[in-house]
Amino acid sequence: MKVLIIEDEASLLRGMLEYFRKEEFMCEGVDNFNEGLTRLEDFDYDCIILDINLPGGSGLELLKYLRQQQKEDGVIILSARDSLDDKITGLNLGADDYITKPFHLPELNARIKSLLRRKHSRGNNVLQFGTLSIEMQTRTVLVDNEVLTLTKIEYDLLLFMVVNGNKVLSKRSIGEHLFGQESEDFSSFDFVYSHIKNLKRKLKEKGAEDIIQTVYGLGYKITV
């Protein structure tokens, strides 16, 4: 799960990053409007935690930009207790949810997971794709009811491919999703092949052969 936090309060941003990284999210954070805009231009996220009052501009303008670009990243607004108008404006601009400061991190965690269930599995904890069942709450993967043991990267890779089922994903988009900001320093994304190869081998061992296909010159896609 790839999450971007745009929040200018240093201690809150640091606390959220520490918490969600312990939850095994791929989590990035920025503290101002301009850096937030750069992230939105360059990357896609499963969920964006968006403060409204930012140095350099309004978080609502970032939300407006996101939806104008027809990007489908989930958005949860962080709002002050007395900012009802901002909440309404944010929801009208396309935010998926909001949470009022101060808040408890487990509640925000639950809201992120609820948002992803609504987007990808019609509100269920289990994402079904052919013979694959992905239990997002426990990060458990089953193939024909047999547990498929995966590393964190392999799980994140499989989930990314499944929620983009039948779409061709480039090596760059996969690498950026798996490693986030670190990927900016990569000289190439050829390493993605080895992760695909290992995942395909494990799927084959459970009888799910050939569901990940190579589209030569473009990338990879998963089909049923």
Side-chain angles (χ1 to χ4, degrees), residues 89-193:
T89 301
L91 292 171
N92 286 336
L93 286 173
D96 298 279
D97 198 357
Y98 69 85
I99 190 167
T100 301
K101 296 180 180 179
F103 57 87
H104 296 289
L105 288 171
E107 180 187 358
L108 178 56
N109 187 12
R111 287 175 180 262
I112 292 173
K113 291 176 178 176
S114 176
L115 185 158
L116 296 178
R117 286 197 300 271
R118 293 195 302 272
K119 282 186 170 291
H120 301 312
S121 58
R122 298 181 181 179
N124 299 316
N125 280 319
V126 179
L127 180 60
Q128 195 74 38
F129 190 81
T131 61
L132 292 176
S133 298
I134 302 177
E135 214 299 327
M136 292 186 289
Q137 197 77 4
T138 61
R139 299 172 66 89
T140 301
V141 179
L142 302 177
V143 180
D144 283 331
N145 295 318
E146 289 191 33
V147 174
L148 179 65
T149 303
L150 300 174
T151 65
K152 179 184 182 301
I153 288 179
E154 290 165 354
Y155 173 86
D156 290 341
L157 171 58
L158 179 62
L159 182 60
F160 182 52
M161 298 192 79
V162 166
V163 299
N164 289 281
N166 299 307
K167 294 181 182 178
V168 178
L169 302 172
S170 68
K171 289 190 290 187
R172 174 178 290 275
S173 67
I174 292 172
E176 289 176 348
H177 182 82
L178 295 177
F179 295 97
Q181 186 176 355
E182 295 178 24
S183 66
E184 294 179 345
D185 298 325
F186 297 162
S187 58
S188 80
F189 291 87
D190 291 342
F191 66 88
V192 168
Y193 169 76

Side-chain angles (χ1 to χ4, degrees), residues 50-54 58-61 63 76-95 97-100:
L50 179 61
D51 192 15
I52 292 175
N53 298 310
L54 297 167
S58 168
L60 294 176
E61 289 300 316
L63 175 58
I76 298 177
I77 289 176
L78 301 181
S79 65
R81 186 174 298 278
D82 58 353
S83 59
L84 178 60
D85 289 344
D86 284 343
K87 295 174 188 176
I88 293 172
T89 301
L91 292 171
N92 286 336
L93 286 173
D97 198 357
Y98 69 85
I99 190 167
T100 301

Side-chain angles (χ1 to χ4, degrees), residues 15-37:
M16 286 192 285
L17 288 171
E18 290 175 356
Y19 177 87
F20 287 115
R21 285 168 179 168
K22 288 179 181 177
E23 290 289 303
E24 298 190 331
F25 290 11
M26 169 59 68
C27 197
E28 301 173 9
V30 297
D31 63 4
N32 63 76
F33 179 93
N34 290 330
E35 287 189 49
L37 180 59

